[in-house]
Amino acid sequence: MSPRPKIALDKNTIMLAAAELANENGSEYVTLAMLAKKLNIKPPSLYNHFDGLPGIKRELAIYSLEKLYNSLAKEAQGKSQGDEAIMALSQAYLTFARKNPGLYDFALSAPDPADEFVHDAGRKIVGLVISAIQPFGLKEEEAIHAVRGLRSLMHGFTSLEQKGGFGMPLDLDESYQLAVEAFIKGLKK
Amino acid sequence: MSPRPKIALDKNTIMLAAAELANENGSEYVTLAMLAKKLNIKPPSLYNHFDGLPGIKRELAIYSLEKLYNSLAKEAQGKSQGDEAIMALSQAYLTFARKNPGLYDFALSAPDPADEFVHDAGRKIVGLVISAIQPFGLKEEEAIHAVRGLRSLMHGFTSLEQKGGFGMPLDLDESYQLAVEAFIKGLKK
DNA sequence: TTGCTAAAACTAATGTCATTAGTTAATATA
DNA sequence: TATATTAACTAATGACATTAGTTTTAGCAA
């Protein structure tokens, strides 16, 4: 194709291609070379849309966090706060990571974790969890500690599962559910 | 230096250099080029000792898991089983990851997670935790679920902390300790 | 002691990346 | 209709891993 084609690529198309690449082949397959090949352009052309590979990864992180947030919000919708909402959130979290293994990697490994946009995207998710644990009547600081624990549990399980870190032939869904239940139970006075 | 120097490098020296590189600069700095520069040799020379970069990473994973195991075992030593041992283990886990941020990365991201040696090294650590929760009188399957939860919590917190994923200015050590305590409490009948 | 083997370094070359600079053609705008 | 901008391109550079083939010397056997 010659310069300036009728229909130019837009950011969204590129994001989708990158996400597909990540999910189908693994996050390490998100390279300018691979992405360009998938889009039938040459690698340097990508610089017209993104600030190099770090730029793509950063936007992929934000994209991933937003998709994760949407999945969680949708699932929490309608559930009553407390145990029910927390179980729904944790289940949705795991489901998202399983359906989007490559994309999930980017959600938690932005080039610069202090990046404002990345941070904002993460904060929204924290808000969902904060809201879910309202009924426990925790003080503000206690609530933050609780959310940190819950996030650690969800991310840790997800991450270990994806790395194949669990060896025993014992149902993983049950392990996850029991772990979240135990944590919730321990949270209550 | 010319071919065949008086004192040749040995595997252990290379491992130490690689671990240092990882801890001081980050795991992504473990490249043949960097490692060779640090050791004052040329990159191809490393192939005399290791099976390429994947080989080094694999051995680094085993090395890291063994160091982690030693730290944990040492800390569990003398503690009575149950709450005390679990708190000691979880604290040692976090301490190890903080002291060895780069190396810790390799512990849980071996090129092939199904690798026999990597797996064995991980199994020893699971054994420590299994032993620590003995007093809870869990059935075998329950115990495995519990260990999975505990590992998820420890790895998740560690991982999120290292990525700078916790935004709020609230004591992290306290969050960790409270989370582990809550989980333990929830584990009990 | 001498000669051979194998180890551990080396140089040179290849291929894959990301990235930069500069070019071109077609769309969008004035 | 003329111009500016956009989005593609080619060409070149430098970092990296890796392979092939070479060289020197340490360690061992005859």
Side-chain angles (χ1 to χ4, degrees), chain A residues 138-179:
Chain A
L138 301 174
K139 280 181 290 205
E140 193 178 331
E141 293 206 346
E142 290 172 328
I144 296 176
H145 288 310
V147 171
R148 283 178 176 173
L150 217 36
R151 284 182 66 200
S152 297
L153 195 51
M154 297 190 296
H155 170 58
F157 186 92
T158 297
S159 169
L160 287 172
E161 181 184 76
Q162 287 196 359
K163 288 185 207 302
F166 295 126
M168 307 289 176
L170 184 62
D171 191 67
L172 283 163
D173 294 83
E174 201 180 338
S175 291
Y176 185 65
Q177 192 162 334
L178 287 172

Side-chain angles (χ1 to χ4, degrees), chain B residues 14-122:
Chain B
I14 300 177
M15 290 315 285
L16 289 176
E20 209 176 299
L21 213 44
N23 285 333
E24 290 176 5
N25 304 95
S27 58
E28 72 280 10
Y29 276 70
V30 177
T31 64
L32 295 188
M34 282 285 185
L35 193 49
K37 179 175 281 186
K38 192 179 176 75
L39 294 166
N40 289 311
I41 58 175
K42 303 293 173 184
S45 303
L46 287 166
Y47 285 79
N48 289 317
H49 304 279
F50 290 92
D51 200 7
L53 189 57
I56 289 184
K57 290 184 171 177
R58 177 180 166 275
E59 302 229 24
L60 220 35
I62 297 170
Y63 175 71
S64 178
L65 284 169
E66 280 173 354
K67 259 192 97 169
L68 174 56
Y69 171 78
N70 289 337
S71 300
L72 296 182
K74 191 175 163 194
E75 209 55 39
Q77 199 79 2
K79 303 284 187 305
S80 68
Q81 290 185 326
D83 292 31
E84 196 185 333
I86 298 175
M87 292 311 293
L89 282 178
S90 61
Q91 192 52 57
Y93 191 101
L94 181 57
T95 300
F96 175 84
R98 283 178 176 168
K99 278 194 195 159
N100 303 278
L103 195 53
Y104 178 78
D105 276 353
F106 288 103
L108 289 152
S109 63
D112 176 13
D115 182 291
E116 197 185 336
F117 285 90
V118 174
H119 226 268
D120 278 358

Side-chain angles (χ1 to χ4, degrees), chain A residues 33-69:
Chain A
M34 283 285 186
L35 193 48
K37 178 175 282 186
K38 192 178 178 76
L39 294 166
N40 289 310
I41 58 174
K42 303 294 174 184
S45 304
L46 287 166
Y47 285 79
N48 289 317
H49 305 278
F50 290 94
D51 199 8
L53 189 55
I56 290 184
K57 290 186 171 175
R58 177 181 166 275
E59 302 229 24
L60 220 35
I62 297 170
Y63 176 70
S64 177
L65 284 169
E66 279 173 355
K67 258 192 95 169
L68 173 57
Y69 171 78

Side-chain angles (χ1 to χ4, degrees), chain A residues 108-109 113-114 119 123 126 140-142 144-145 147-160 162-172 174-176 178-183 185-189, chain B residues 108-109 113-114 119 123 126 140-142 144-145 147-160 162-172 174-176 178-183 185-189:
Chain A
L108 289 151
S109 62
H119 227 267
R123 207 173 350 242
V126 170
E140 193 178 331
E141 293 206 346
E142 290 172 328
I144 296 176
H145 288 310
V147 171
R148 283 178 176 173
L150 217 36
R151 284 182 66 200
S152 297
L153 195 51
M154 297 190 296
H155 170 58
F157 186 92
T158 297
S159 169
L160 287 172
Q162 287 196 359
K163 288 185 207 302
F166 295 126
M168 307 289 176
L170 184 62
D171 191 67
L172 283 163
E174 201 180 338
S175 291
Y176 185 65
L178 287 172
V180 177
E181 280 170 358
F183 184 74
K185 193 173 144 201
L187 228 45
K188 296 175 185 167
K189 290 289 160 59
Chain B
L108 289 152
S109 63
H119 226 268
R123 204 168 358 238
V126 170
E140 193 177 332
E141 293 206 346
E142 291 173 326
I144 296 176
H145 288 310
V147 171
R148 284 178 175 173
L150 218 36
R151 284 182 66 201
S152 297
L153 195 51
M154 297 190 296
H155 169 59
F157 187 92
T158 297
S159 171
L160 287 172
Q162 287 197 359
K163 288 185 206 304
F166 295 126
M168 308 290 176
L170 184 62
D171 191 67
L172 283 163
E174 202 180 339
S175 291
Y176 185 64
L178 287 172
V180 176
E181 280 169 358
F183 185 74
K185 193 173 142 203
L187 227 46
K188 295 174 184 167
K189 289 290 159 61

Side-chain angles (χ1 to χ4, degrees), chain A residues 65-77:
Chain A
L65 284 169
E66 279 173 355
K67 258 192 95 169
L68 173 57
Y69 171 78
N70 289 337
S71 299
L72 296 181
K74 191 175 163 193
E75 209 55 40
Q77 199 79 2

